Amino acid sequence: MEFRSLLKVVTVAVAAAGLTFLAQRYDLLALVVAALAVALVACAFALRFSGVFMQEELALLRDHLETTRQQAAMLARMTREMRDAVVQHESAPAPDRATEWAALSEIVCDIADEMAELDRRTEQVEGELAALRRDGASPRPAASAWAIPAASGASALASHNPLHDDKIDPGSNSSAGGLREIPGVPHLSTFGEPPRAVRQLVAAAIAADRFELYLQRIVSLPQRKTRAYEVSLRPDGCDPHIPTSEIRNAVEHVGHQLAFDRKLMVQAMRLARMFQQRQRDVTLVADISQRYLLSEPAFDELRALVADAPNAPRRIVLSLPQRFFKKAIAVENEALRQLSEMGFRFMVREVSDFNLELPRLQQSNVRWMRMDAARLLEASQSEEQVLEVAAADFAALLGRRQISLLIEGVNDEAAVAELIDFNIGYAQGHVFAPPQAVRPEALDDGVSATAESGSRVKAGETPPKAERRGLREIARRA
């Protein structure tokens, strides 16, 4: 028994003894017996709620374990198919599959680690359930410390998730302080999984390597002029209304995040080079993960890309979640410094906490902050205070730190009108334009046109006048 529980038991025992002595002296023994009966009933309800809560957590962990095992089976099948293909074509000059083998090995290692972690947590929850069943007959003295309301069970668990401490609602009143902390599910931005349909779509696209490059406009308000583009990779034939965050969450759940981010950065650099060749002053926003930022092989590949196009990083903004900046230490700060020296700028995404360290963000070369439209409008309607200023003055506060506020998820004209009232400078959403696919030929045309122009200049011919085509034309051709 823990020291805290022992202290509670001793305190309640002393209080009960004192009440019994007073009741016997003043002839109130019936009242004391009734109070003890009420306490026993409260303890019984607390134990019941605790058991239900633990069973739900165990069921969720088992579901994650089963999903991970299915992924491992799929990867084993893909590995066998690749091995058979190598054996069948060993006589012919076989292509270099080192990259594919390395990616598969990385996926298998990640899934093995997650399976081991989920098994350990499942056994841990099963042990706690067994302990609850054994102690079911003995009442707990401190009922208020153990009671967990059924309606707030999910929020209580989320408040104990070490991966999401930055998303804790300071106004929530959770009474689960007596329970030992249950670790959260790894690699999930929320307590639940990404939608099953999105997971299946992403898994199929990863198996077949069928991802397409998409661009979505970022406009200035109120003129709605295109100021930037968000660069994303989406499965071939994907519904444009599926949020990019869900696709990234599914990729992270499947365990292919590092390779996904590498491919995204290659495409973003190609786009930046194309815009540079066409002399278009356009900013590109690319979402990357902390794992990519701290991966040495990925960092070396990024250095090689920057060496080929030194000016391209000045057109790219790397978007990172807010929790990365809140928990950044020396390693993360050093990676941000090196990327800043290359020319990259940064954006804060997934903003859920308005307690921001703006001077620190400014020193880290953060020049953008992206927030969901529903989150800002909800804050404004509830008159929520943002760093001691009103929500409507949030954009002006960021502007004083040279940080531009970008509102995403704008899907109706009513929201646009409210954002204009709040003096929001930049917005993104389906009301302006959905994500549009860009064919690889559009990028190849831009690179080959420049190469051909350079060869003609070397031959002594007059270089032709460059044809400037906007990205709308490229998207229209796609």
Side-chain angles (χ1 to χ4, degrees):
M1 182 178 297
E2 298 180 356
F3 176 75
R4 185 180 297 178
S5 301
L6 180 62
L7 181 61
K8 292 179 181 178
V9 171
V10 172
T11 303
V12 173
V14 172
L19 289 175
T20 304
F21 176 75
L22 293 176
Q24 185 177 5
R25 183 173 181 179
Y26 295 102
D27 197 13
L28 297 175
L29 188 59
L31 181 60
V32 173
V33 171
L36 291 176
V38 171
L40 288 174
V41 172
C43 290
F45 277 104
L47 289 174
R48 174 179 174 81
F49 287 135
S50 299
V52 171
F53 177 71
M54 299 291 286
Q55 289 176 358
E56 291 178 354
E57 170 67 7
L58 179 59
L60 184 61
L61 289 175
R62 284 177 175 172
D63 188 17
H64 285 303
L65 182 59
E66 181 63 25
T67 304
T68 307
R69 287 174 177 169
Q70 292 177 2
Q71 295 170 357
M74 181 185 68
L75 289 173
R77 177 179 57 81
M78 293 173 59
T79 305
R80 288 196 301 270
E81 292 177 357
M82 291 184 63
R83 182 185 59 192
D84 295 340
V86 171
V87 172
Q88 292 176 2
H89 297 84
E90 60 181 359
S91 58
D96 185 13
R97 296 182 179 271
T99 304
E100 298 179 5
W101 283 109
L104 285 175
S105 300
E106 184 180 357
I107 294 172
V108 171
C109 292
D110 291 345
I111 289 183
D113 294 340
E114 291 189 8
M115 289 182 64
E117 182 69 14
L118 287 174
D119 284 334
R120 184 185 66 80
R121 294 181 180 179
T122 302
E123 294 176 358
Q124 178 181 351
V125 175
E126 288 178 348
E128 294 180 359
L129 284 174
L132 285 175
R133 294 191 184 99
R134 286 195 304 269
D135 300 340
S138 59
R140 298 287 182 180
S144 61
W146 289 84
I148 300 180
S152 62
S155 62
L157 178 62
S159 65
H160 288 87
N161 193 339
L163 294 177
H164 307 100
D165 291 342
D166 56 333
K167 296 184 180 180
I168 295 177
D169 186 1
S172 62
N173 184 16
S174 176
S175 59
L179 283 176
R180 187 169 54 82
E181 290 186 358
I182 301 175
V185 181
H187 303 298
L188 294 179
S189 60
T190 58
F191 184 71
E193 297 178 348
R196 182 178 297 273
V198 178
R199 293 202 316 270
Q200 294 175 351
L201 181 64
V202 169
I206 290 175
D209 194 16
R210 299 281 295 178
F211 280 94
E212 291 185 346
L213 180 64
Y214 276 75
L215 298 178
Q216 187 175 17
R217 295 171 53 196
I218 297 175
V219 303
S220 61
L221 295 179
Q223 297 85 2
R224 304 194 182 192
K225 293 183 179 180
T226 302
R227 299 300 184 186
Y229 290 95
E230 181 187 10
V231 185
S232 62
L233 293 178
R234 305 171 71 90
D236 186 13
C238 175
D239 184 0
H241 290 84
I242 297 179
T244 306
S245 59
E246 288 189 2
I247 295 177
R248 290 194 59 85
N249 193 9
V251 171
E252 183 178 359
H253 180 80
V254 173
H256 208 264
Q257 183 179 16
L258 186 57
F260 182 84
D261 288 341
R262 287 178 176 176
K263 188 173 182 179
L264 177 63
M265 285 305 302
V266 170
Q267 298 297 334
M269 291 293 293
R270 292 180 65 189
L271 278 172
R273 291 174 60 184
M274 186 196 71
F275 282 123
Q276 180 181 352
Q277 293 160 5
R278 297 183 181 280
Q279 299 180 358
R280 289 284 307 278
D281 187 13
V282 176
T283 301
L284 302 176
V285 178
D287 292 355
I288 62 172
S289 62
Q290 178 179 357
R291 182 180 179 186
Y292 177 83
L293 191 66
L294 302 181
S295 172
E296 293 185 4
F299 218 84
D300 294 339
E301 293 176 2
L302 186 58
R303 287 182 183 275
L305 293 174
V306 174
D308 293 338
N311 295 325
R314 304 184 184 278
R315 300 175 178 269
I316 298 178
V317 176
L318 301 180
S319 177
L320 290 161
Q322 183 189 28
R323 59 181 179 272
F324 171 81
F325 293 97
K326 292 181 72 70
K327 300 180 180 180
I329 55 177
V331 178
E332 289 83 353
N333 291 330
E334 178 62 20
L336 293 176
R337 185 189 65 80
Q338 294 183 17
L339 289 173
S340 298
E341 292 179 353
M342 296 181 193
F344 292 101
R345 293 169 295 170
F346 304 104
M347 171 187 288
V348 181
R349 72 171 189 265
E350 300 175 13
V351 177
S352 58
D353 185 7
F354 283 152
N355 293 323
L356 304 168
E357 299 180 5
L358 295 182
R360 181 181 176 185
L361 294 178
Q362 186 180 13
Q363 293 176 359
S364 300
N365 203 21
V366 173
R367 294 296 176 262
W368 292 80
M369 179 173 295
R370 185 168 63 189
M371 184 183 301
D372 186 71
R375 178 75 176 96
L376 182 66
L377 295 179
E378 179 184 359
S380 64
Q381 292 172 1
S382 61
E383 297 182 356
E384 183 175 349
Q385 295 298 313
V386 183
L387 293 177
E388 300 181 357
V389 300
D393 299 329
F394 189 38
L397 176 67
L398 295 177
R400 288 195 288 269
R401 293 291 180 177
Q402 300 178 354
I403 299 176
S404 301
L405 180 60
L406 168 62
I407 302 301
E408 64 176 347
V410 183
N411 299 323
D412 55 76
E413 292 293 339
V416 175
E418 294 189 48
L419 295 179
I420 294 176
D421 292 340
F422 292 159
N423 297 322
I424 302 299
Y426 302 93
Q428 174 187 4
H430 288 270
V431 70
F432 307 113
Q436 298 182 4
V438 178
R439 290 185 179 181
E441 296 82 17
L443 298 178
D444 296 337
D445 290 344
V447 176
S448 61
T450 304
E452 181 182 357
S453 175
S455 63
R456 290 184 179 180
V457 171
K458 291 181 181 179
E461 299 180 7
T462 303
K465 184 177 180 180
E467 179 185 359
R468 298 184 60 183
R469 292 179 294 174
L471 198 62
R472 292 182 182 177
E473 181 181 353
I474 295 176
R476 192 181 305 114
R477 291 180 56 193

